[in-house]
Amino acid sequence: MIYKRSSELFVAAEKVIPGGVNSPVRAFKAVGGTPIFVKEAKGAYLYDEDGNKLIDYINSWGPMVLGHAFKPVVDAVVDKAKKGTSFGMPTQIETEIAELAVSMVPNIDKIRFVNSGTEACMSAVRLARGYTQKDKIIKFAGCYHGHSDSFLIQAGSGAVTFGAPNSPGVTSGTAKDTLLARYNDLENVKEIIELNQNEIACIIIEPVAGNMGCIPPEKGFLEGLRELCNKYNILLIFDEVMTGFRLAKGGAQELLGINADIVCFGKVIGGGLPVGAFAAREEIMNYLAPLGPVYQAGTLSGNPLAMAAGLAMLKALNNDKDVFKRLADKTEYLHKGLTRVLDNKKITHTINRVGSMISVHFFKDKVVDFESAANGNNETFKAFFHSMLKNGIYIAPSAFETWFITDALTYEDLDKTIEACNEAF
Ligand code: HOZ
């Protein structure tokens, strides 16, 4: 494949945008080479500026559950755009999407829309602190909850890829209120809680981690967190930015059968437009301004374009009773095919998968937390990434990211992907 035009566009971008990108993972620093500039996308495919067609496994980092340029979403956005794009005033469609989201997700009564997953998580933590009147939070090494200050402590995703999981600019005052635990290690969480009795407002977690590759919660881990939260009056926050409306209608809460106190959404809930949201039981949500004392606001929050896209997306997912099974089946097929190839070639690896999230780790043991994810062979990953790309398969340009499966993928696409893996070694 030729990337002449993409390289030229990157050089131009670097002159006026730091690193040439508006979000670091895109810069290809973790895999080398220059990023691919997308011209357009449709269904399961990306078409780049050099005229290459790629099978897409990042799907805008999750939201394209039903494929790129999904017609109901596009139609809804076009229709709304003609009637005004933002008012900073209430609109009826906000209630419509809120009603639908509340009906799909277990254990929530009210939802507040914001503009990104970062905003959702940041606001959820403020709400938890205000509600419990406690300051500290527990997060897990390798989990990523957006780039707000409290979360850039051993953060996953781009933060870890560039060797800066603790970012300069986060004050020591802020950092000291974020307590760090090991994913899938309940004993570790218990110790931290016992050392900080009556000080912890919330535990925030990706119920299926997606920012150190895909890491499933081990049996009993989330159940244990739920019990600890009940016992110590701590709120449990599920960051479902990746898992919400992707693993099931009701996200990870439904799939895994665990109730969180606050749930954060992003990406999928906006059908790929800039939307985030956080939701909880009424008594918690009523703590938010204008009803309660915890302040949170935004001019573009709930804007009609985003709401129209999100509503079209949620309706499509809600009305298709087989979609989550189809997604899981396709992902399982890919998992089996990749395993067959990598086993045949005697490549040391572990594949993690939950629903339509999957990641390949070039590591000999189980990958259950940040430490095991970081022990994967990054040189093998880089070579794998570039070989897949050469064969028309676009996976995330970092070993610390999940691949997201879209329903637009055909079994022929999956076979091509498995074949590309075969050629990579
Ligand atoms: N933080 C995102 C992945 N977990 C990457 C966002 C982007 O580069 O668009």
Side-chain angles (χ1 to χ4, degrees):
M1 296 219 175
I2 297 167
Y3 299 112
K4 187 169 173 298
R5 179 89 186 118
S6 276
S7 303
E8 288 164 3
L9 289 170
F10 187 52
V11 171
E14 281 182 302
K15 292 195 180 126
V16 283
I17 301 173
V21 289
N22 282 311
S23 188
V25 184
R26 299 176 198 176
F28 270 35
K29 291 253 186 279
V31 289
T34 49
I36 288 160
F37 278 59
V38 183
K39 191 163 190 181
E40 56 189 277
K42 178 82 192 143
Y45 313 117
L46 299 168
Y47 299 88
D48 71 18
E49 290 279 357
D50 286 283
N52 303 306
K53 176 182 173 184
L54 302 165
I55 300 178
D56 185 13
Y57 283 96
I58 63 166
N59 284 294
S60 188
W61 305 97
M64 304 309 166
V65 180
L66 303 171
H68 289 282
F70 180 60
K71 193 170 180 316
V73 169
V74 174
D75 289 350
V77 171
V78 169
D79 186 49
K80 270 285 175 224
K82 291 179 187 155
K83 297 171 184 155
T85 54
S86 177
F87 313 117
M89 294 167 72
T91 53
Q92 188 262 327
I93 194 170
E94 292 163 79
T95 310
E96 213 181 320
I97 182 172
E99 283 171 350
L100 181 55
V102 165
S103 76
M104 291 171 79
V105 177
N107 196 38
I108 62 168
D109 301 317
K110 290 189 177 178
I111 184 163
R112 170 69 59 88
F113 287 96
V114 291
N115 302 291
S116 68
T118 293
E119 253 189 82
C121 293
M122 164 189 111
S123 308
V125 164
R126 186 183 305 139
L127 178 57
R129 284 174 162 151
Y131 183 79
T132 60
Q133 303 197 359
K134 294 187 276 185
D135 287 345
K136 293 187 178 170
I137 69 171
I138 294 182
K139 86 170 274 288
F140 293 87
C143 278
Y144 180 75
H145 306 289
H147 61 92
S148 137
D149 286 0
S150 305
F151 304 130
L152 288 181
I153 318 291
Q154 287 282 301
S157 185
V160 69
T161 320
F162 304 119
N166 306 304
S167 173
V170 175
T171 66
S172 50
T174 299
K176 85 169 177 15
D177 283 334
T178 299
L179 308 170
L180 202 63
R182 277 188 298 275
Y183 200 85
N184 276 326
D185 187 343
L186 202 53
E187 281 309 309
N188 182 227
V189 180
K190 270 188 207 155
E191 279 162 28
I192 294 171
I193 293 177
E194 270 153 26
L195 285 171
N196 295 273
Q197 295 257 0
N198 299 321
E199 289 190 273
I200 300 169
C202 60
I203 296 178
I204 184 165
I205 187 163
E206 298 176 67
V208 173
N211 284 289
M212 39 185 166
C214 171
I215 299 195
E218 296 204 314
K219 207 168 169 342
F221 177 57
L222 295 177
E223 290 82 349
L225 291 184
R226 181 65 275 171
E227 276 172 29
L228 286 172
C229 285
N230 292 347
K231 180 165 170 200
Y232 291 96
N233 187 26
I234 294 169
L235 296 186
L236 181 60
I237 304 180
F238 274 7
D239 174 348
E240 295 229 38
V241 167
M242 288 179 173
T243 52
F245 307 103
R246 168 169 277 282
L247 295 187
K249 254 196 223 182
Q253 282 197 105
E254 178 187 323
L255 185 79
L256 306 171
I258 316 277
N259 282 345
D261 295 303
I262 308 181
V263 193
C264 303
F265 300 105
K267 312 181 203 255
V268 191
I269 198 164
L273 265 77
V275 184
F278 57 107
R281 299 187 299 278
E282 184 164 17
E283 86 223 34
I284 299 175
M285 291 307 273
N286 285 354
Y287 244 71
L288 277 181
L291 286 182
V294 174
Y295 198 70
Q296 186 282 322
T299 296
L300 290 170
S301 296
N303 88 79
L305 290 191
M307 296 295 96
L311 182 60
M313 185 71 172
L314 295 198
K315 275 186 181 166
L317 294 171
N318 194 40
N319 295 338
D320 184 341
K321 62 176 184 9
D322 297 325
V323 64
F324 298 104
K325 161 107 177 52
R326 280 199 309 277
L327 284 161
D329 286 350
K330 287 179 187 181
T331 314
E332 184 182 2
Y333 183 87
L334 181 67
H335 184 166
K336 285 186 177 153
L338 295 174
T339 303
R340 206 167 48 240
V341 167
L342 294 170
D343 281 349
N344 273 344
K345 302 253 173 179
K346 302 205 173 0
I347 304 293
T348 301
H349 74 281
T350 294
I351 298 181
N352 282 351
R353 165 174 63 94
V354 178
S356 56
M357 296 165 68
I358 182 168
S359 57
V360 180
H361 302 259
F362 295 106
F363 187 56
K364 59 180 183 352
D365 297 323
K366 275 171 73 177
V367 175
V368 295
D369 56 12
F370 176 64
E371 205 182 330
S372 42
N375 278 333
N377 187 331
N378 208 37
E379 291 312 307
T380 308
F381 180 82
K382 282 188 206 175
F384 177 64
F385 171 84
H386 283 291
S387 177
M388 294 295 273
L389 188 56
K390 208 170 80 200
N391 286 300
I393 312 295
Y394 190 70
I395 61 170
S398 158
F400 291 93
E401 304 285 355
T402 295
W403 310 11
F404 295 101
I405 304 304
T406 169
D407 192 40
L409 280 167
T410 63
Y411 280 86
E412 201 188 337
D413 295 327
L414 297 170
D415 284 336
K416 275 189 197 156
T417 308
I418 295 162
E419 183 45 38
C421 176
N422 191 38
E423 292 196 12
F425 297 99

